Amino acid sequence: MGTAERRQRERGEMQEAIVDAAVGLFLTEGYEQTSIRRIAEKIEYTPGAIYSYFKDKDAILYEIHVRGFLRLFEYLNRATGETNPLERLYQIGQLYIKFAVENPQYYDLMFIGRSIPRSFADHLVKDAMEWESGAHAYGLLRQVIEECIEKKLLPHGDIDAASYAFWSMVHGMIALVLRKRCMICPDIKHEDLLRDSYEFIWSTMRAKK
């Protein structure tokens, strides 16, 4: 391995360490309370060195979102082999749940984190054209919903409203589990509860067809 390749690898490893440390601190201590200095302490590095990788704390959080949505898109894209759009939509919901269960920290910071400031969310919306990772994940869902409506597999209606309704339904179930708001069902594994609830909804939908 040449010097340039080694440096590139080391830089990548350092960036990974920064992001991993930030994910943990944002969740345990809160975004507003976490400073660049605190992240540097976590990985035993200097604050000045952190700035050679990210210009500020928002840039680190943005990187976390980009990575999370790229990973989410990889999960959802596994459903593209299904030709029936309604079955593809069903699989997308399953894969979305799988992503959340297997990546709870990322999911929390992407969709739930209460410490994430509104200004950051507004920044993402304003820069949506540059935020391709998030747009691709939503676009895949929207496309499948549109196909279902066109083929009369779902009631005719506004595509964005239908996409939002589907996403919010699955997200709501996930958020209750990840935030541990399901203690009313203490004897049931929450991951199983999540998947079984989704299956119940779909079996009800299929029964009506």
Side-chain angles (χ1 to χ4, degrees):
M1 180 182 293
T3 302
E5 292 178 329
R6 184 171 61 254
R7 287 177 178 173
Q8 184 175 8
R9 185 196 65 188
E10 291 173 351
R11 184 172 179 82
E13 290 173 350
M14 190 61 209
Q15 190 176 50
E16 288 290 332
I18 294 170
V19 170
D20 288 346
V23 168
L25 290 170
F26 289 162
L27 287 172
T28 58
E29 300 182 8
Y31 179 78
E32 295 289 358
Q33 288 69 40
T34 301
S35 64
I36 291 292
R37 180 175 295 279
R38 183 72 182 90
I39 295 171
E41 290 175 355
K42 185 74 173 179
I43 58 176
E44 299 181 342
Y45 222 56
T46 63
I50 300 288
Y51 286 113
S52 68
Y53 292 87
F54 298 98
K55 67 177 183 178
D56 54 26
K57 191 169 62 173
D58 274 1
I60 299 176
L61 183 58
Y62 185 84
E63 177 66 17
I64 291 169
H65 275 73
V66 168
R67 292 183 182 206
F69 277 100
L70 284 173
R71 194 175 300 178
L72 173 59
F73 180 76
E74 290 174 358
Y75 274 72
L76 301 185
N77 205 39
R78 298 173 192 172
T80 56
E82 173 59 56
T83 56
N84 183 312
L86 190 61
E87 289 303 313
R88 202 182 320 143
L89 180 62
Y90 164 72
Q91 289 183 13
I92 283 175
Q94 284 186 316
L95 291 166
Y96 188 87
I97 291 171
K98 182 177 177 65
F99 168 79
V101 169
E102 295 181 354
N103 303 272
Q105 291 187 316
Y106 270 85
Y107 192 91
D108 195 302
L109 290 174
M110 290 160 65
F111 297 114
I112 305 175
R114 288 170 292 188
S115 70
I116 307 303
R118 176 59 187 270
S119 59
F120 180 79
D122 290 343
H123 172 73
L124 284 180
V125 172
K126 291 177 181 177
D127 291 345
M129 293 301 293
E130 299 178 11
W131 192 45
E132 294 182 359
S133 55
H136 285 167
Y138 175 75
L140 193 153
L141 170 63
R142 190 182 187 282
Q143 180 183 3
V144 176
I145 292 284
E146 183 175 14
E147 287 183 49
C148 288
I149 291 176
E150 288 177 351
K151 295 186 177 182
K152 302 186 186 307
L153 298 172
L154 288 177
H156 179 73
D158 181 78
I159 296 170
D160 286 310
S163 300
Y164 177 77
F166 180 82
W167 170 66
S168 60
M169 173 193 71
V170 181
H171 166 72
M173 294 191 297
I174 292 170
L176 286 171
V177 168
L178 293 188
R179 284 295 183 185
K180 302 186 184 303
R181 298 296 190 266
C182 297
M183 300 311 293
I184 194 172
C185 307
D187 297 325
I188 303 175
K189 290 184 178 179
H190 289 169
E191 291 180 17
D192 293 339
L193 176 64
L194 184 56
R195 295 189 180 97
D196 291 346
S197 297
Y198 182 72
E199 291 295 334
F200 171 77
I201 291 170
W202 271 92
S203 63
T204 303
M205 289 178 60
R206 289 186 175 116
K208 291 181 178 180
K209 288 185 65 65

